[in-house]
Amino acid sequence: MQNIPERIDSRFRYILLAAERAEQIMRGAPAKVEVDSPKLTRVALEEVRRDLIDWDYGPAPEEGGETDEAAEG
C-alpha cells in the first residue's frame, strides 16, 4: 500500500477519498497530477497521497440527536 498523508486516519478513508475523486475526474474534473497510467483510480490515489485534495470530516454529530430510523418510526 502506498504511503498516505498523516491527516488521513485510515486506509479505508484513503480509498473512499480516492474513489470520490476518481468519480469527479470521470465526470470531467481536471486531474491535478500526471501519472503513467490511463486508470483514473491511479490518478486519484496519487492526488490523495500527495495531499492535493481538500476534504474534512464534516460537522460533528449532535449529542442526543435522533437517528434516521427513530425519526421515521
Side-chain angles (χ1 to χ4, degrees), residues 2-66:
Q2 297 177 1
N3 294 332
I4 59 176
E6 284 186 29
R7 73 183 196 127
I8 297 178
D9 60 345
S10 67
R11 290 181 190 166
F12 181 73
R13 187 170 319 277
Y14 177 60
I15 297 302
L16 287 177
L17 291 169
E20 185 173 330
R21 180 62 183 147
E23 186 173 339
Q24 291 172 352
I25 296 169
M26 182 178 65
R27 292 176 184 235
K32 297 180 180 192
V33 297
E34 288 189 30
V35 178
D36 292 336
S37 175
K39 297 180 179 181
L40 299 180
T41 52
R42 296 281 181 178
V43 174
L45 284 166
E46 185 62 20
E47 289 181 356
V48 175
R49 188 188 70 76
R50 292 185 189 182
D51 205 16
L52 299 174
I53 306 302
D54 291 329
W55 67 277
D56 62 18
Y57 290 101
E62 295 179 21
E63 286 190 32
E66 293 184 3

